[in-house]
Amino acid sequence: YEYEMRYSDAERATRQALDIDTKALGPGSVATARMMVQLANLYGSHGEPDPAEQLYASAIRVYLRVTGQAPRQVASVVFQGAQQFLNDGKLEIAANLFNDAGGIYHNAEGDSSSGAARCLTNLGAIAEDLGKHDQAEGLQKKALAVFEKVSGPDSIDLVEPLAGLARTYKSQKQFAEAE
């Protein structure tokens, strides 16, 4: 339904699937949490941040309770929630969640975590938006170093942190570095 731009049908079907999962498996199952994330993504993509944020928060609590730790799957949900808060302009909440997701990715994958690097890139963009240019530069450079190490010097993964660095340099009128 969503691909056919039938949002209300997609919402109804996803909500029904969530209700069925909740009744059959319980509100604390991983399958139910996955359906919460799917519905949150639907709400977020259609400009309904409040229910999306509530569903992300619920799914994160379920994943953490079920797993007893913070694996990559939890980091992915935290990252998605952070993206939603960022899209809604709630920069401080987004920054906290990106920081949490980055820590989870780092603990799960080590120093060469592309997930943690994506979090650093987003944290750098938030720092730039808040006028914290030195912090933004450091975060973008750190993300860039990880992506170069993991993916190589010509990887598409370098585009976002490079663009973030250029934006930071431009805002500081460091035009030579921005090039």
Side-chain angles (χ1 to χ4, degrees):
Y1 289 129
E2 188 174 5
Y3 295 113
E4 296 175 8
M5 306 303 263
R6 294 169 51 190
Y7 173 70
S8 61
D9 291 333
E11 178 189 13
R12 185 173 46 258
T14 308
R15 172 68 61 195
Q16 183 178 2
L18 176 59
D19 290 344
I20 291 168
D21 272 353
T22 302
K23 287 176 187 167
L25 304 172
S29 78
V30 171
T32 301
R34 277 191 212 113
M35 194 53 60
M36 288 176 191
V37 171
Q38 186 172 337
L39 186 57
N41 289 340
L42 183 66
Y43 283 138
S45 69
H46 286 87
E48 297 184 54
D50 292 337
E53 292 164 8
Q54 291 170 2
L55 285 163
Y56 283 125
S58 295
I60 290 165
R61 284 192 298 274
V62 169
Y63 279 122
L64 290 173
R65 187 172 49 249
V66 169
T67 63
Q69 55 182 337
R72 193 172 203 291
Q73 189 175 29
V74 175
S76 176
V77 173
V78 174
F79 185 90
Q80 289 177 50
Q83 284 290 128
Q84 182 64 50
F85 283 104
L86 180 61
N87 293 341
D88 298 340
K90 298 177 180 177
L91 301 182
E92 290 181 15
I93 297 171
N96 288 335
L97 288 173
F98 280 127
N99 198 39
D100 291 346
I104 296 168
Y105 279 124
H106 184 268
N107 289 339
E109 301 171 355
D111 290 338
S112 297
S113 169
S114 60
R118 280 193 310 278
C119 291
L120 290 170
T121 298
N122 283 298
L123 285 167
I126 291 170
E128 179 61 35
D129 287 344
L130 296 173
K132 299 176 181 178
H133 307 297
D134 291 339
Q135 182 182 6
E137 180 180 353
L139 290 163
Q140 298 293 4
K141 283 183 175 181
K142 194 171 181 182
L144 188 60
V146 172
F147 281 130
E148 283 178 336
K149 179 180 177 183
V150 172
S151 304
D154 297 324
S155 172
I156 191 82
D157 291 335
L158 303 180
V159 171
E160 205 171 325
L162 283 169
L165 265 175
R167 186 175 141 211
T168 297
Y169 291 142
K170 182 180 173 189
S171 69
Q172 295 177 5
K173 309 256 188 268
Q174 297 177 348
F175 298 113
E177 289 87 346
E179 292 178 9

